[in-house]
Amino acid sequence: MGHILKMNVVLHEKIWGGTRLKDEYGYDIPSDHTGEAWVISGHPNGDCTIANTEYEGKTVSWLFANHRELFGNVEGDQFPLLVKILDANDNLSVQVHPDNEYAKIHENSLGKSESWYVLGADPGTKMVMGHHAKTKEELINYIKNDDYDDLLNVIDIDKGDFFYIPAGTLHAICSGSLIYEAQQSSDITYRVYDYHRKDAQGNERELHVQQSIDCIKVPADLDQNKIFVNTKVENGTKTRYLKCEYLTVDKYTIHGSGLIKNEAPFALVTITEGSGIANDMEFKKGDNFIICSDVDEIEYDGTFEAMVTTL
């Protein structure tokens, strides 16, 4: 029936993290400041290991390098996608990610275009998305004057919202957010502002002001697509949130059984609610798996929601 590979997640402590990754998904967090679960990753900073099949214990990067046929023989020298769940117990820094060209030259890395699906948001939760500078000169002046109140475009968010953050977009996840993040496989972040927070030693975190200025697109595109296409599947619906050069993101909401043809070279699946069975493999909320290209179809049954990211 082909390979469906369950993942062991990699957890990262962050100054802004909390406990919701344990509370919501049962992950064995290392501390009460755990901010990120890298739930499907082949990146060296969080290379997930496989929890089942004959490849148990092997990393995603190893499998991609040694059995490219399981990934539709896609090109590239590294696994191209990365999926995380983020718990923002405090505000993340105001930041920007480079595009492929800048990241290759300066970091020998892929660029980082990403997307967010809001899994949870406390009442009144905000998000930084874009800015109000019309020129680079205006942008530099705002930054020099520490005038982020006027620079930043701040919006309200709710559970179920979706955002695409292409490289070059100034952004920040804010306190009270629980986020599903699907992105290019890159760990390059340029922090331009961090609220002058200090660590236990009284030091502020490193900023990357010049790199941020280099990468921030001016003027910002403040329009976000809010119209998403729903299609019927057996006993459920599929919502297409994003299809771009780097990734495609869908949500499946299922109440019952059905069959889906596997037409992607591989698919990254995160169960965000409920439980069920896929090709005789049981899964529950918080589980993550890769559906490989040797799976012709997925026979499912259950009541669940799943985020699915493909190329």
Side-chain angles (χ1 to χ4, degrees):
M1 296 180 72
H3 289 82
I4 300 180
L5 307 173
K6 275 194 171 183
M7 297 289 105
N8 294 311
V9 306
V10 177
L11 296 152
H12 291 279
E13 294 175 276
K14 298 289 182 180
I15 190 173
W16 42 262
T19 64
R20 289 177 78 176
L21 294 172
K22 176 183 178 182
D23 301 339
E24 293 278 348
Y25 303 107
Y27 298 151
D28 186 16
I29 60 175
S31 79
D32 290 349
H33 293 282
T34 304
E36 296 185 352
W38 291 29
V39 297
I40 308 176
S41 167
H43 192 281
N45 291 350
D47 202 352
C48 294
T49 56
I50 297 160
N52 64 345
T53 76
E54 70 271 30
Y55 301 116
E56 182 177 353
K58 299 292 188 183
T59 62
V60 170
S61 66
W62 180 90
L63 195 66
F64 189 72
N66 290 278
H67 290 281
R68 191 66 60 91
E69 73 278 2
L70 294 176
F71 303 93
N73 289 311
V74 298
E75 296 181 353
D77 58 2
Q78 65 186 91
F79 190 68
L81 298 175
L82 172 56
V83 175
K84 306 176 185 176
I85 300 177
L86 282 69
D87 168 20
N89 190 52
D90 198 354
N91 294 332
L92 277 69
S93 62
V94 179
Q95 57 190 242
V96 67
H97 305 304
D99 61 18
N100 283 345
E101 181 180 7
Y102 191 95
K104 179 65 175 176
I105 293 169
H106 296 277
E107 309 285 354
N108 193 30
S109 169
L110 289 176
K112 187 175 174 184
S113 288
E114 62 187 8
S115 62
W116 298 338
Y117 176 78
V118 181
L119 295 165
D122 295 342
T125 298
K126 309 288 186 183
M127 178 180 288
V128 174
M129 187 65 64
H131 60 83
H132 299 300
K134 298 297 188 290
T135 66
K136 279 281 186 177
E137 184 179 22
E138 274 190 21
L139 175 73
I140 292 167
N141 285 334
Y142 277 124
I143 292 171
K144 282 184 176 178
N145 293 326
D146 211 31
D147 185 7
Y148 291 95
D149 288 341
D150 292 322
L151 173 62
L152 301 178
N153 185 58
V154 181
I155 59 176
D156 295 310
I157 65 167
D158 292 300
K159 182 178 180 179
D161 287 346
F162 183 88
F163 301 91
Y164 176 46
I165 306 98
T169 304
L170 193 64
H171 64 276
I173 294 171
C174 298
S175 175
S177 308
L178 186 67
I179 303 290
Y180 167 91
E181 179 175 287
Q183 58 164 91
Q184 290 179 272
S185 184
S186 170
D187 199 26
I188 306 300
T189 294
Y190 297 139
R191 290 190 292 268
V192 66
Y193 179 60
D194 194 40
Y195 317 97
H196 301 291
R197 283 186 289 206
K198 293 181 171 64
D199 62 18
Q201 288 71 45
N203 301 311
E204 294 188 13
R205 286 203 292 173
E206 180 186 6
L207 299 180
H208 317 92
V209 175
Q210 187 55 56
Q211 296 98 318
S212 298
I213 291 169
D214 290 345
C215 292
I216 294 169
K217 291 182 180 177
V218 181
D221 181 4
L222 301 181
D223 293 327
Q224 281 280 335
N225 175 34
K226 294 296 182 184
I227 301 173
F228 306 114
V229 176
N230 290 318
T231 55
K232 287 187 176 297
V233 297
E234 289 184 77
N235 288 306
T237 59
K238 179 180 82 169
T239 304
R240 169 62 51 89
Y241 284 115
L242 176 66
K243 184 173 181 61
C244 69
E245 179 182 357
Y246 306 110
L247 69 165
T248 300
V249 181
D250 298 308
K251 181 177 81 170
Y252 286 81
T253 304
I254 301 295
H255 299 276
S257 60
L259 196 69
I260 294 175
K261 292 284 187 182
N262 182 27
E263 298 175 339
F266 60 90
L268 313 184
V269 182
T270 295
I271 306 301
T272 57
E273 294 288 349
S275 61
I277 298 173
N279 291 6
D280 296 328
M281 185 192 75
E282 295 184 359
F283 59 77
K284 65 184 186 307
K285 179 179 179 178
D287 284 350
N288 306 272
F289 46 90
I290 300 174
I291 298 174
C292 294
S293 61
D294 60 353
V295 176
D296 294 326
E297 55 189 22
I298 301 97
E299 187 175 356
Y300 58 83
D301 189 20
T303 298
F304 60 92
E305 290 184 0
M307 299 300 297
V308 180
T309 297
T310 61
L311 290 175

